[in-house]
Amino acid sequence: MVVDTVLTASTWFFVAYFVLINGSYLVIHLAALVGIRRNRRERRVDPAYDIHESPVIPGIAIVLPAYNEGPVVASSVRSLLSVEYPDFEVVAVNDGSTDDTLDRLRNAFDLERVDADYPADIPCEPIRDVYRASDADLVVIDKENGGKADALNAGVFFTDQPLFCAIDADTVIERGGLIEIVRPFLRDPERMIATGGTVRVANGCTIRDGVVERVRLSGSALVNLQTMEYIRAFLAGRVGLSVIKSLLIVSGAFGLFRTNAVREIGGYSTDTITEDMELVVRLHRHFGDLEAAYRVEFVPDAVVWTEVPESRHVLGRQRSRWFRGLIESLLVHRGMIGRPKYGAIGLVALPFFVLVETLGPLIEGIGYLIVPIAFLLGVLNVPFFVLFVAVAVGLGTLMSWLSAFSEVYGFRRYVHPRDVVGILFYGVVENVLFRQWKAFVAWKGLVQFLRGDTSWGEMTRVGLEK
């Protein structure tokens, strides 16, 4: 009797928590729809000036950290050099690669060693050499291995550009991506300190000479599940959080920052495994402590395409690291949680990430075990079990389909009817199988975090050019 009571009470708790989680996501999705509608309206209005002709356009350094990225680094740099923007340079940082990353860059771009001195106080591992391309705005820094954050710091403290764009080596920027992601800095040059762009899945697309020529879903179910996940995360999650001034993450795959603001807080932290989230939270904390007016925004029209894992084992390592990094960042900056001093970040964003993004998968994971066991033992009747499935799977599917609507309504990168139907299909499948697997990975990540595991895990690349 006691066991039955506990199981019944637990089931009600899990149902209530699923409602809380999906209700929170629904609020963010609705805010995202407002943001997308506003974005569509703004796109219909021609700007009063040509950004290419503007005399006050800020220069941008595109900082590209690369460690053992031989298969993709040349095509990635070539893509970056072809973006449409009047004043930019690419700063590629070879972070002590043990493969042919540096050789591929030297051969592809006819690099020449720079004999002039470079700043000796750059906060990174020792720099071996600096190279420049003879016929392109490309600088290559060759340094000893220090990790991604250390490589980013090398580029951030080396450049003299007022803005820098952090990007991954396995990504391709759409030609107008820089123009889009810089627009908030032009609208509010005094307060804007960071903007983030949309990351889309490149697997399955046709890419030639750094240009995405054809957008299609992949032949891999695992990749397409990630495609659906990325659509929801960026076109619903990031857009909605930006609308309510609660943007806590600017993806390391594509973000634009004010250089002196990042230098002011000491650059990227080399003591965390998710340096992108930690940097943005620290920027919020720094400017909140100063009680200074500042803004961080998400720009959905600024797009990069990235290669995602095609192996469940590699994907599991990636997601485990992300979860460990989330816990780490929240613990480091726990003093901000619930503090009115930090505005919506302290009162909305951080509590949301604690209760939903961190505790959510863990509690879900227990629920996926306890509720079916209670049903099989006869503690729960059929209607109650159906209610649980409807809440756990049905509401999640609704969130995914709302994200698919945002894609079709606002951006239309996927235009083939078969792909749109496929996105809707994977919106169901991810809530039936993928979400449960991610709950297991979250528990694994928690155990690794408690053990002090700070490993990164090797990410296998096959290259983006098709």
Side-chain angles (χ1 to χ4, degrees):
M1 180 65 69
V2 174
V3 173
D4 290 355
T5 302
V6 171
L7 288 175
T8 302
S10 298
T11 302
W12 275 111
F13 169 77
F14 293 129
V15 170
Y17 201 83
F18 272 88
V19 171
L20 171 65
I21 290 175
N22 288 292
S24 301
Y25 284 135
L26 179 60
V27 171
I28 293 174
H29 276 64
L30 295 177
L33 291 175
V34 172
I36 291 171
R37 182 180 180 184
R38 184 170 60 199
N39 182 66
R40 280 170 54 91
R41 187 169 60 247
E42 291 175 352
R43 284 196 317 225
R44 295 193 190 103
V45 180
D46 292 330
Y49 62 92
D50 183 352
I51 193 171
H52 294 90
E53 302 296 331
S54 174
V56 294
I57 192 74
I60 296 176
I62 305 176
V63 181
L64 179 75
Y67 175 73
N68 288 351
E69 300 282 3
V72 300
V73 69
S75 61
S76 181
V77 170
R78 195 173 292 112
S79 170
L80 296 178
L81 291 172
S82 67
V83 298
E84 297 177 356
Y85 196 79
D87 182 13
F88 75 96
E89 67 174 355
V90 176
V91 181
V93 183
N94 179 45
D95 188 39
S97 298
T98 57
D99 67 353
D100 59 349
T101 296
L102 181 60
D103 290 336
R104 291 204 182 201
L105 287 171
R106 294 178 68 174
N107 295 332
F109 300 101
D110 192 25
L111 299 180
E112 298 177 355
R113 183 180 285 105
V114 176
D115 294 328
D117 292 336
Y118 49 83
D121 58 348
I122 295 179
C124 68
E125 292 298 313
I127 294 176
R128 299 164 180 164
D129 287 299
V130 176
Y131 301 86
R132 283 191 180 275
S134 57
D135 58 352
D137 292 320
L138 170 64
V139 175
V140 175
I141 299 173
D142 180 32
K143 60 179 287 295
E144 294 183 11
N145 179 259
K148 183 179 179 181
D150 192 75
L152 285 166
N153 284 336
V156 170
F157 284 85
F158 180 88
T159 186
D160 57 1
Q161 300 286 10
L163 303 178
F164 76 90
C165 175
I167 191 167
D168 286 345
D170 60 339
T171 58
V172 172
I173 300 183
E174 288 191 353
R175 287 290 172 85
L178 279 188
I179 291 176
E180 296 298 334
I181 202 170
V182 82
R183 289 190 189 278
F185 283 90
L186 302 180
R187 291 196 302 265
D188 194 350
E190 297 299 323
R191 295 188 297 169
M192 196 65 58
I193 60 171
T195 55
T198 299
V199 181
R200 290 179 175 271
V201 174
N203 310 52
C205 299
T206 302
I207 301 176
R208 292 190 180 91
D209 298 325
V211 177
V212 180
E213 295 182 346
R214 183 169 175 263
V215 177
R216 295 299 304 269
L217 290 180
S218 169
S220 164
L222 184 62
V223 167
N224 292 335
L225 286 168
Q226 294 173 78
T227 298
M228 180 67 253
E229 185 183 30
Y230 274 52
I231 289 174
R232 187 180 63 253
F234 286 92
L235 302 188
R238 304 286 170 88
V239 173
L241 289 171
S242 184
V243 168
I244 61 178
K245 302 185 186 306
S246 299
L247 187 62
L248 206 61
I249 300 177
V250 171
S251 174
F254 193 31
L256 185 66
F257 299 87
R258 187 172 301 283
T259 306
N260 60 8
V262 173
R263 288 175 175 173
E264 193 174 322
I265 62 172
Y268 287 86
S269 171
T270 57
D271 297 325
T272 181
I273 55 176
T274 49
E275 72 293 324
D276 48 359
M277 177 181 181
E278 196 283 330
L279 177 74
V280 177
V281 179
R282 190 152 35 95
L283 283 169
H284 282 300
R285 185 170 194 164
H286 175 72
F287 285 93
D289 288 339
L290 294 177
E291 298 183 356
Y294 73 98
R295 296 180 66 183
V296 177
E297 287 189 6
F298 179 72
V299 187
D301 293 310
V303 176
V304 298
W305 297 81
T306 189
E307 179 184 357
V308 300
E310 298 192 6
S311 158
R312 185 168 56 86
H313 180 62
V314 174
L315 179 61
R317 287 203 307 259
Q318 180 196 65
R319 297 310 167 85
S320 173
R321 177 175 61 83
W322 287 2
F323 193 75
R324 284 181 280 137
L326 172 62
I327 297 173
E328 183 180 54
S329 294
L330 292 175
L331 285 176
V332 169
H333 299 287
R334 60 188 179 277
M336 298 174 64
I337 300 173
R339 297 280 299 279
K341 175 181 182 179
Y342 301 104
I345 295 299
L347 297 177
V348 178
L350 285 168
F352 171 80
F353 273 81
V354 171
L355 296 174
V356 176
E357 297 293 338
T358 305
L359 295 179
L362 301 177
I363 293 176
E364 282 186 33
I366 299 175
Y368 293 136
L369 291 176
I370 297 296
V371 176
I373 290 174
F375 175 71
L376 293 174
L377 292 176
V379 176
L380 302 180
N381 56 31
V382 173
F384 198 98
F385 184 73
V386 171
L387 172 65
F388 173 80
V389 173
V391 171
V393 177
L395 290 180
T397 299
L398 174 62
M399 298 302 105
S400 297
W401 282 4
L402 282 175
S403 304
F405 172 76
S406 297
E407 158 64 23
V408 174
Y409 169 69
F411 305 99
R412 298 177 184 252
R413 289 304 196 280
Y414 293 93
V415 296
H416 197 286
R418 183 176 179 180
D419 289 334
V420 176
V421 173
I423 289 172
L424 293 174
F425 169 75
Y426 285 105
V428 177
V429 175
E430 72 162 340
N431 286 281
V432 175
L433 299 173
F434 194 50
R435 188 167 176 173
Q436 289 75 20
W437 176 76
K438 288 195 299 181
F440 165 76
V441 172
W443 272 102
K444 182 179 179 181
L446 175 63
V447 172
Q448 291 173 336
F449 175 80
L450 295 175
R451 289 178 176 174
D453 186 350
T454 59
S455 62
W456 184 276
E458 183 179 355
M459 302 299 293
T460 305
R461 311 292 188 197
V462 299
L464 296 176
E465 297 285 338
K466 304 296 184 184

